[in-house]
Amino acid sequence: LYTLLGQMLNARGRFGPMMFAPILNNLIAIAVFGLFFATMGAKDPDAGEYTTAETAWFGLGSTVGIAAQALILLPVLWRTGLRLKLRFDLRGVGLGKAFRLAGWTVALIGLMQLTQVVVVRLATAATALASGSGAIERGAGIAVSNNAFLIIMVPHSIITVSLATALLPNLSRTAAAQRAGEVRTQVLSGVRTSLAIIIPFAGLLLALAGPISRLLFGYGAASEDIDLVAVTLAAFLPGLVGFTATYLLQRAFYAAEDTRTPFLVQLVVSGIQVTLSLLIVPRLDPVFASTGLAGAWSVAVFVGALSALGLTRRRFGPVHVGSLALFVLLVVLAALPGSLAALWIVLRLSLIHISEPTRLRRKSRMPSSA
């Protein structure tokens, strides 16, 4: 309901409400956790599973939060002049066309899930091997990979998804008017705009991979894996550029009511990702399985972006790949000084952190004065 109401608002040029509605959900979630601790106390890690009442509390809180996130959009939608009413006559409302378009989307999601099954099995197998050999206790595989992927999804969610959301309504109107050249121009402009922000962001994440991993996961059981999270994050980051381009280029096909082409692009990505994962991961030390999986994903989405560019040229007209490549190179060069400066600061702070205990030990050996 939240997605459907939000898309109705987006189609009317009202992008803010859908973006801000999750804040209400977050506030309710914070309240649920706070009341849980106030009434039931902090959960002892050795106390076993959650009770039925504790589980129901979290489930009910989640449901109330997402319901509020959806329902808060209704008053905003009414103010746009749109009135919703129940209809029981389903004939002629476009569901047949919607289901036909959704078929390829369901197939795409199914393909992504099958790819994820392969990734999870490889990652968990590596975790078992690493634990069995005594190399590490936890996290060679899926936990490390998921945590690193969560980090790279932050710039994607804030920048790329927001831009795509604002771009899609106008893209759809242009595609409906059969102006293919304008669709191509708009979507490529969106790709350039997004990459102009994503690439510097990726450079900073690469330089700050260690401190960010330590900040987010340097506590509890996850603290054992922070170095692996940092390395895996670094392997994911090159793919962020290809992932951004692919995500935005696919919006042009969705605007043209073409859900088959995004499926074909995903078929390329999944095929390469699975093939590389099966070839690389078994040959790596199990500890670095998550890094190998991240590298396979980066290569796959980069090739997927090239495939999406080729299909865009075939559907919407000529795409100057050389010009786009030069733009990416210039952005990389512009972002390089900042990334190197951040890396230099991180290294200097690391040296200070290493040398400080030595200096204190030397000071403690000095004889005290009379």
Side-chain angles (χ1 to χ4, degrees):
L1 184 61
Y2 161 75
T3 302
L4 291 171
L5 294 175
Q7 294 298 341
M8 292 178 192
L9 287 168
N10 289 345
R12 285 157 177 77
R14 300 290 299 275
F15 302 107
M18 189 181 186
M19 298 297 176
F20 288 112
I23 294 175
L24 178 60
N25 189 355
N26 291 336
L27 292 174
I28 292 173
I30 292 169
V32 167
F33 281 117
L35 289 172
F36 177 89
F37 289 131
T39 57
M40 301 182 186
K43 186 69 176 178
D44 185 350
D46 300 321
E49 297 180 354
Y50 286 100
T51 65
T52 301
E54 291 169 337
T55 305
W57 180 263
F58 286 125
L60 180 63
S62 298
T63 300
V64 170
I66 194 66
Q69 178 178 319
L71 295 176
I72 198 174
L73 296 179
L74 276 173
V76 185
L77 194 63
W78 289 333
R79 284 200 295 270
T80 66
L82 182 66
R83 295 291 181 267
L84 302 178
K85 60 181 180 179
L86 287 174
R87 289 185 57 175
F88 299 98
D89 53 326
L90 300 182
R91 187 181 298 277
V93 296
L95 288 178
K97 181 180 180 181
F99 282 131
R100 285 194 299 273
L101 291 173
W104 286 107
T105 304
V106 171
L108 183 149
I109 294 171
L111 182 61
M112 294 173 67
Q113 292 301 313
L114 288 175
T115 306
Q116 185 66 7
V117 167
V118 175
V119 169
V120 170
R121 287 183 66 86
L122 286 170
T124 50
T127 303
L129 286 172
S131 300
S133 65
I136 55 173
E137 290 186 7
R138 297 173 55 85
I142 197 62
V144 169
S145 183
N146 285 345
N147 287 341
F149 195 74
L150 279 175
I151 296 174
I152 71 162
M153 283 296 101
V154 172
H156 172 76
S157 301
I158 294 174
I159 300 164
T160 308
V161 173
S162 300
L163 185 62
T165 300
L167 192 64
L168 189 57
N170 196 44
L171 268 180
S172 299
R173 285 189 287 268
T174 307
Q178 303 294 319
R179 299 197 297 268
E182 290 185 34
V183 171
R184 181 191 69 245
T185 301
Q186 289 177 19
V187 76
L188 289 177
S189 176
V191 170
R192 288 171 179 263
T193 302
S194 187
L195 290 180
I197 309 172
I198 285 289
I199 292 174
F201 210 124
L204 284 176
L205 281 179
L206 186 61
L208 303 175
I212 289 174
S213 300
R214 195 171 297 110
L215 173 68
L216 295 177
F217 305 110
Y219 58 90
S223 62
E224 301 169 5
D225 304 327
I226 54 176
D227 291 335
L228 287 174
V229 172
V231 174
T232 304
L233 173 60
F236 268 127
L237 284 170
L240 187 57
V241 176
F243 187 66
T244 297
T246 302
Y247 185 88
L248 286 166
L249 290 171
Q250 286 178 328
R251 303 309 109 176
F253 295 99
Y254 288 134
E257 298 186 340
D258 177 3
T259 54
R260 178 175 172 270
T261 300
F263 170 80
L264 296 177
V265 173
Q266 185 59 43
L267 191 62
V268 172
V269 173
S270 294
I272 295 174
Q273 184 180 358
V274 168
T275 302
L276 289 178
S277 298
L278 291 172
L279 289 174
I280 294 173
V281 173
R283 291 170 170 78
L284 290 174
D285 186 312
V287 173
F288 296 105
S290 58
T291 308
L293 291 169
W297 178 83
S298 290
V299 173
V301 294
F302 183 78
V303 176
L306 295 178
S307 302
L309 274 173
L311 292 168
T312 301
R313 174 165 38 186
R314 190 170 70 176
R315 175 67 184 270
F316 299 105
V319 175
H320 300 292
V321 179
S323 175
L324 185 60
L326 178 61
F327 172 81
V328 171
L329 177 61
L330 291 174
V331 175
V332 170
L333 292 175
L336 195 58
S339 300
L340 291 176
L343 182 61
W344 181 82
I345 293 171
V346 169
L347 293 175
R348 290 294 298 170
L349 291 175
S350 298
L351 290 174
I352 293 171
H353 178 72
I354 292 170
S355 62
E356 187 67 18
T358 303
R359 187 181 68 81
L360 291 174
R361 283 196 300 271
R362 288 174 180 171
K363 187 176 181 180
S364 67
R365 294 194 192 104
M366 294 176 62
S368 59
S369 63

